Amino acid sequence: MPPSRPGADHAHAPGHSHDDGADLAGVVMDQAFWDERYQSSSALWSGQPNSVLITEAADLAPGTALDVGCGEGADAIWLAQRGWRVTAIDISTVALERGAAHAREAGGDLAQPISWLHVDVTNWVPPASTYDLVSAQFLHAPKIQRQTLHQRLAASVAPDGSLLLVGHHVSDLETTVPRPPVPELYFTSDDVAASLDSHQWDVVVSDTRPRQTLDPEDRSTTIRDAVLLARRTS
């Protein structure tokens, strides 16, 4: 598979125009920042579903899914095409409008199984024990916010459902791919696995997964994703 360019995955990490770490952490969940960023380009991401979602969810039985930080909708559309009923949430109304438009363009009545919701996940509590799959791909937040968010997302998974959390590994700060220079925005799969109650969860995958991409100078480089897939047992 050829390396993908930066931006191939929908993600909610701060942009690279800020240099101060405190400023970066402060805009992670800021609607104005994200609306402006989406408006700066006709397509912020590649339009392709995230590769980890394809790998880890392809064999799951379709049910209800929560796509957290859905961006321009590629993951939600991929899930809906496979029979999932998807709640796609994002802080950016621009992203949500694009996602809904892409679903209509994809055809197959995909507008029906996808609900697009404007949500700030820092103060939103999803319904408990509801979703057969909760997926958050590259949703980066300061540590305290992230831990609370992950707890809420885990609580929203139905029994026998799956939690899929993917993020940029902290080692990516050493690559030539631009990353916000705020180490606390990143996490490892082991960090997340340790936060789950072993009496309620089976960890299916806890991995640091390398993949190839192109940096801004078109040089091939390896980046690493933190991947956590867990199944709720009770």
Side-chain angles (χ1 to χ4, degrees):
M1 179 180 295
S4 59
R5 293 183 179 276
D9 302 296
H10 75 63
H12 268 191
H16 310 304
S17 60
H18 297 258
D19 293 323
D20 181 77
D23 289 344
L24 280 166
V27 301
V28 174
M29 299 299 175
D30 180 79
Q31 181 180 346
F33 171 86
W34 282 106
D35 281 347
E36 180 180 354
R37 190 170 180 204
Y38 277 105
Q39 288 168 340
S40 70
S41 172
S42 60
L44 192 57
W45 312 118
S46 70
Q48 301 300 314
N50 281 293
S51 58
V52 173
L53 177 69
I54 295 173
T55 299
E56 302 302 340
D59 294 331
L60 297 178
T64 56
L66 178 65
D67 181 11
V68 186
C70 64
E72 293 161 324
D75 283 6
I77 292 169
W78 184 86
L79 287 166
Q81 288 172 329
R82 281 149 185 81
W84 292 84
R85 299 183 305 280
V86 185
T87 300
I89 66 172
D90 204 281
I91 197 170
S92 170
T93 56
V94 178
L96 292 167
E97 290 167 2
R98 285 188 188 171
H102 292 329
R104 292 191 295 268
E105 292 165 2
D109 296 324
L110 286 181
Q112 188 79 16
I114 307 176
S115 299
W116 306 92
L117 298 183
H118 179 222
V119 167
D120 179 350
V121 293
T122 62
N123 55 34
W124 180 68
V125 179
S129 302
T130 297
Y131 301 102
D132 299 304
L133 171 65
V134 173
S135 172
Q137 305 275 326
F138 305 100
L139 184 68
H140 291 276
K143 184 176 181 179
I144 294 177
Q145 286 184 336
R146 182 176 67 248
Q147 290 174 333
T148 300
L149 172 60
H150 285 174
Q151 290 171 358
R152 290 174 177 172
L153 296 182
S156 73
V157 178
D160 294 322
S162 298
L163 176 68
L164 178 60
L165 301 176
V166 183
H168 299 303
H169 193 272
V170 68
S171 63
D172 277 6
L173 289 171
E174 306 301 322
T175 72
T176 54
V177 175
R179 296 284 188 238
V182 187
E184 72 157 328
L185 292 178
Y186 307 95
F187 59 89
T188 69
S189 58
D190 289 343
D191 292 337
V192 184
S195 71
L196 298 175
D197 186 341
S198 61
H199 295 97
Q200 291 186 313
W201 293 91
D202 282 339
V203 175
V204 180
V205 176
S206 180
D207 196 10
T208 302
R209 193 166 297 175
R211 59 187 169 99
Q212 293 298 114
T213 190
L214 296 176
D215 70 12
E217 303 299 324
D218 282 339
R219 296 170 297 193
S220 180
T221 188
T222 300
I223 57 177
R224 291 170 175 82
D225 299 332
V227 179
L228 185 285
L229 175 66
R231 184 179 67 86
R232 185 170 179 178
T233 58
S234 63

